[in-house]
Amino acid sequence: MLVLALSLLLPTGHAETPGITLEDAVRLSHENPSVAAAGSAREAARAGYAQAWPGRLPSFSLQGNVLMYDEAQEMALFESDEPMDCTGIPDPFGALCSSFGEPIVVREQVTSSVTAQVSMPITGQVAVDRQVAAAKAALDAARASERGVVFDAEFEAKDAWFGAAQVEAQLAIAEAQVQSLEGRVKIAEGALAAGTLTRTDLLLVRIALSQARHAVVQLTGHRELAYARLGVATGNGGSPLRPAELSQVPPREPPEAGALSERALAARPELVAMRERVRAARAASQAASWARLPSIAGMGAYQHTTGQGAFGSPDTAYVGASLNWNVWSFGRAAAGVTAARAQAEQVAHQLESLEAGVRLDVLVRLTALSTAASAWATAAETVEQASENLAIQERRRATGSGTMQEVLDANVALVRAQSTQASALYDARRAEAGL
């Protein structure tokens, strides 16, 4: 009932729906919002790596100060209201003596200073290196995840395209059956009027026609939904699209299973991403472990100062080292290391589980392709046999040795065989794309 209601509500104009080739559907699938989200995640990981790697470099700071005091600070070597008597003392000692009574500027009213300082972590370099490695692994994982999302979007577009093509094929078969039964109804009505056919036979044909029309209505609703799904898969928000340039090439034989699993284990994006996450988790665990040690850093500084008077040196410089170790946080750091190691092991076990799932996935998709290819070949033979059987039953009915029910049964068998062949063809196409 839901499909019947949707078929009445949704537009059914096949010709008005834009067509799209399989190649264009795959290309447009890159505009899917999930692909854009994966791209944003990759850019975020790139920014995280850009934030992490400068930690290997020394830190440099440049600081400038300008201070204005209420007045200059002065001092005199000898406090006296009278100037010192330096007569008779030869120069240069006489000039020096006369200056002892004058005020000496210790600090001017306006002072300024410029300080440049460089600090380089020593023991922290290992932890920083592990943090950078974790950020790089996270970036590689994001790139692999983005590739996986792109592949998933492409497969979704292919699956939606083949799904819509499959519904179209089924609908075409159902519509052909309706046309055939409409012709049979007219023939049966004429035969009934001529007295060569019973009322029961006419009713059987009309019932079969009603059932065929009902199937057309259901498949029409499925087709419109398949068109909308194809629109979603190509990133247009669900505007209906129909498959164009359909191919009836028979399914290919499935490839050998030998190297498929190894290829999948080496190249599947989700596995590549998970391996990078394992590497990132282990690097983060190592960084947390090194963070428990004391932090030793080497440093050097240069300072230029003005306005400090006669006793201050305008240029000073020093080199040294600093040690920082908060022993009270050791327990918390140790707990952090334990948590980081547990998280790394968790991701490693997830990788093992994912690898097993990939092996099974390859087997399932390979089996699906083999099954669909075999079903198509069997259905092709069945279509020929069902066509021949329908012709025989029609001749028998024309000569009076057969019944209308036998003709209708043969017609149903032919339609079922055609439907099975069409389904097997596009099931194989899906399996090929998935494999």
Side-chain angles (χ1 to χ4, degrees):
M1 292 301 294
L2 176 60
V3 174
L4 178 60
L6 288 173
S7 67
L8 297 176
L9 294 175
L10 292 173
T12 58
H14 175 78
E16 291 79 5
T17 304
I20 186 172
T21 65
L22 179 60
E23 292 74 15
D24 287 339
V26 172
R27 177 178 55 83
L28 291 176
S29 68
H30 294 185
E31 300 178 7
N32 194 296
S34 60
V35 176
S40 298
R42 184 243 309 146
E43 288 302 317
R46 187 194 302 277
Y49 176 64
Q51 288 178 327
W53 75 261
R56 294 170 169 170
L57 304 177
S59 62
F60 174 79
S61 63
L62 182 65
Q63 182 179 9
N65 293 300
V66 177
L67 303 176
M68 179 177 290
Y69 297 91
D70 57 344
E71 61 181 10
Q73 184 176 356
E74 299 178 345
M75 65 170 291
L77 295 178
F78 299 99
E79 293 292 339
S80 174
D81 294 335
E82 305 239 350
M84 294 187 63
D85 185 9
C86 298
T87 57
I89 302 176
D91 289 332
F93 301 105
L96 180 63
C97 174
S98 62
S99 65
F100 283 165
E102 298 177 358
I104 300 174
V105 176
V106 177
R107 184 199 65 217
E108 298 179 2
Q109 185 176 7
V110 177
T111 66
S112 63
S113 65
V114 177
T115 304
Q117 181 171 329
V118 177
S119 177
M120 183 68 181
I122 299 175
T123 56
Q125 275 300 309
V126 178
V128 170
D129 182 72
R130 294 295 82 204
Q131 291 171 354
V132 173
K136 181 61 168 60
L139 174 58
D140 293 338
R143 288 170 174 166
S145 295
E146 182 182 18
R147 288 195 300 271
V149 172
V150 170
F151 293 157
D152 289 342
E154 290 180 350
F155 173 69
E156 180 64 24
K158 291 178 182 179
D159 192 65
W161 195 91
F162 288 131
Q166 182 175 0
V167 175
E168 280 191 349
Q170 298 283 3
L171 181 57
I173 294 170
E175 289 175 340
Q177 184 188 24
V178 168
Q179 292 178 358
S180 175
L181 289 173
E182 287 175 346
R184 292 183 186 278
V185 167
K186 292 180 181 179
I187 295 174
E189 290 173 346
L192 178 63
T196 59
L197 191 71
T198 64
R199 177 71 177 172
T200 300
D201 289 336
L202 176 60
L203 290 176
L204 287 175
V205 179
R206 286 178 174 173
I207 291 172
L209 176 59
S210 297
Q211 291 174 341
R213 285 173 173 169
H214 180 69
V216 168
V217 171
Q218 287 186 314
L219 288 171
T220 300
H222 287 306
R223 184 190 67 183
E224 301 308 322
L225 291 176
Y227 285 175
R229 181 192 170 205
L230 181 56
V232 171
T234 54
N236 69 9
S239 298
L241 292 174
R242 61 178 178 83
E245 301 180 11
L246 301 180
S247 172
Q248 298 299 323
V249 177
R252 64 184 175 92
E253 289 298 320
E256 293 295 329
L260 289 180
S261 292
E262 294 303 320
R263 177 180 174 182
L265 290 175
R268 282 278 286 264
E270 63 268 37
L271 284 177
V272 175
M274 185 60 72
R275 292 189 185 105
E276 293 298 335
R277 293 190 183 101
V278 171
R279 189 161 65 91
R282 288 174 176 168
S285 172
Q286 294 170 358
S289 179
W290 279 92
R292 294 177 298 178
L293 300 179
S295 174
I296 300 176
M299 62 181 61
Y302 166 78
Q303 184 177 51
H304 176 73
T305 307
T306 62
Q308 291 299 316
F311 296 102
S313 175
D315 296 294
T316 57
Y318 68 87
V319 293
S322 67
L323 184 146
N324 183 13
W325 190 19
N326 188 354
V327 295
W328 304 114
S329 64
F330 189 84
R332 184 177 64 182
V337 172
T338 301
R341 288 175 177 171
Q343 290 173 355
E345 290 302 316
Q346 177 187 5
V347 179
H349 291 314
Q350 289 175 345
L351 175 60
E352 294 176 2
S353 177
L354 185 57
E355 287 176 343
V358 166
R359 293 189 187 94
L360 178 61
D361 189 34
V362 171
L363 179 60
V364 168
R365 294 179 186 272
L366 185 62
T367 303
L369 177 56
S370 178
T371 302
S374 300
W376 183 90
T378 302
E381 296 177 359
T382 305
V383 167
E384 295 180 2
Q385 297 169 355
S387 298
E388 183 179 357
N389 179 56
L390 178 58
I392 292 173
Q393 296 302 329
E394 287 177 337
R395 287 196 298 270
R396 292 182 67 245
R397 174 68 188 85
T399 59
S401 60
T403 65
M404 180 60 72
Q405 184 62 56
E406 291 174 332
V407 173
L408 294 176
D409 289 343
N411 191 359
V412 170
L414 175 59
V415 171
R416 185 179 294 116
Q418 292 172 335
S419 177
T420 300
Q421 185 183 20
S423 294
L425 175 63
Y426 290 107
D427 285 344
R429 293 286 183 265
R430 284 196 183 96
E432 288 174 354
L435 187 60

